[in-house]
Amino acid sequence: MQETIDSKPSMTEPMIIAQDVHKWYGSFHVLKGVSLTVNRGEVVVIMGPSGSGKSTFTRTFNALEEYQQGKIFVDGFELSPANHRNIDAIRREVGMVFQQFNLFPHLTVLQNITLAPSWVRKWSKTKASEVATQLLERVGISQQAHKYPLQLSGGQQQRVAIARALAMQPKVMLFDEPTSSLDPEMVREVLDVMRSLADSGMTMVVVTHEVGFAREVADRIVFMDGGIIVEEATPEEFFQNPKEERTKKFLSQIL
């Protein structure tokens, strides 16, 4: 299991470097030269209106979305569509949690979590089960280990999805609007798990509209619109003194 870190790293060592990233869907230019560096141990929250490119950009960090121009490096390895060896290696180090839980309904919670480490990491059944049990305790649902996903609430299923991603012992966690499909009363339990991860020193990139989480947990907020980064700032600067008019308009609609 990922070891708990007592304090955050100095956040001076880059974990993700994106340089002038472009992506097209046919003739639609969805990412227009986006550049961003995420340092080790940093929590970066990406905000923006629907269709701004924020989820697409995040998905390029583990090649779930291919990009056509620019460069992306993860933990020192170039993530190039032409280099599948690097893609496979990076995907082992980058965990991702989606809007939808994407759990296998015919497998128990424990089986969902142990599947990838057993196949990809080649762990023994005993080791995979031990790590999965520890992770279920960490996300607060150890008593649900032998239930099936449809027997759980949405918040519980999302916590299973987080535990499943953590089971691969990733160096980076990506979250693509992980609470958007949850009922309001279930949002907090998922955000609490994410806060705990941030406190442990996990490098995180989070696409979300959860303002309270962004204020409290983010080291930096990136605001995207129209396929570009409009503004980057600390949470205090972003919410209290945004510089760009587009940012001000967005915040007036969500605050």
Side-chain angles (χ1 to χ4, degrees):
M1 194 172 94
Q2 187 85 15
E3 292 184 3
T4 299
I5 301 172
D6 294 331
S7 59
K8 282 193 172 187
S10 62
M11 295 189 296
T12 58
E13 182 182 352
M15 176 64 78
I16 299 172
I17 301 173
Q19 299 173 336
D20 193 32
V21 174
H22 292 256
K23 178 175 177 60
W24 287 263
Y25 290 124
S27 61
F28 178 50
H29 197 179
V30 61
L31 298 177
K32 303 173 183 177
V34 185
S35 296
L36 178 70
T37 297
V38 179
N39 290 317
R40 193 177 300 273
E42 187 177 23
V43 178
V44 173
V45 167
I46 303 179
M47 305 185 81
S50 178
S52 62
K54 55 190 186 296
S55 291
T56 300
F57 183 47
T58 302
R59 287 166 176 253
T60 64
F61 298 160
N62 62 353
L64 288 180
E65 294 280 2
E66 291 188 358
Y67 60 96
Q68 285 79 45
Q69 186 176 319
K71 291 185 177 182
I72 295 177
F73 299 87
V74 179
D75 198 25
F77 295 94
E78 183 173 5
L79 184 54
S80 168
N83 191 331
H84 290 282
R85 178 177 295 181
N86 275 4
I87 288 175
D88 291 342
I90 287 169
R91 282 180 173 167
R92 287 195 292 269
E93 307 299 338
V94 179
M96 186 152 194
V97 178
F98 304 88
Q99 297 179 38
Q100 302 300 324
F101 320 125
N102 295 331
L103 300 174
F104 293 109
H106 64 290
L107 299 180
T108 66
V109 165
L110 192 67
Q111 289 168 335
N112 265 280
I113 296 172
T114 58
L115 185 63
S118 298
W119 280 90
V120 179
R121 298 285 192 193
K122 307 300 182 184
W123 288 357
S124 68
K125 182 177 179 180
T126 299
K127 179 177 180 179
S129 294
E130 287 177 352
V131 170
T133 299
Q134 291 171 343
L135 287 169
L136 286 172
E137 292 175 357
R138 183 174 181 179
V139 300
I141 50 172
S142 58
Q143 70 279 13
Q144 312 295 346
H146 300 292
K147 291 184 178 180
Y148 290 88
L150 293 179
Q151 295 176 292
L152 307 181
S153 70
Q156 290 173 328
Q157 289 186 62
Q158 193 61 297
R159 283 189 279 169
V160 173
I162 293 172
R164 179 181 59 183
L166 290 173
M168 288 292 290
Q169 299 185 331
K171 295 179 179 178
V172 183
M173 285 286 287
L174 310 177
F175 294 86
D176 185 10
E177 301 197 40
T179 60
S180 64
S181 63
L182 299 178
D183 292 334
E185 64 269 20
M186 298 177 184
V187 169
R188 178 166 182 163
E189 62 188 65
V190 174
L191 293 179
D192 283 346
V193 172
M194 293 170 63
R195 287 186 183 94
S196 175
L197 280 179
D199 289 341
S200 77
M202 175 66 74
T203 307
M204 296 167 59
V205 178
V206 184
V207 176
T208 185
H209 291 298
E210 296 291 341
V211 172
F213 176 86
R215 285 183 188 272
E216 178 186 344
V217 179
D219 297 298
R220 184 161 37 115
I221 296 178
V222 173
F223 175 63
M224 292 186 67
D225 190 26
I228 64 171
I229 291 177
V230 176
E231 186 163 349
E232 294 182 57
T234 65
E236 183 177 7
E237 293 169 337
F238 183 80
F239 289 110
Q240 295 184 11
N241 188 32
K243 294 179 175 59
E244 303 295 329
E245 287 301 319
R246 183 64 188 91
T247 311
K248 295 175 183 177
K249 182 179 178 181
F250 173 77
L251 291 174
S252 72
Q253 295 171 337
I254 68 170
L255 294 179

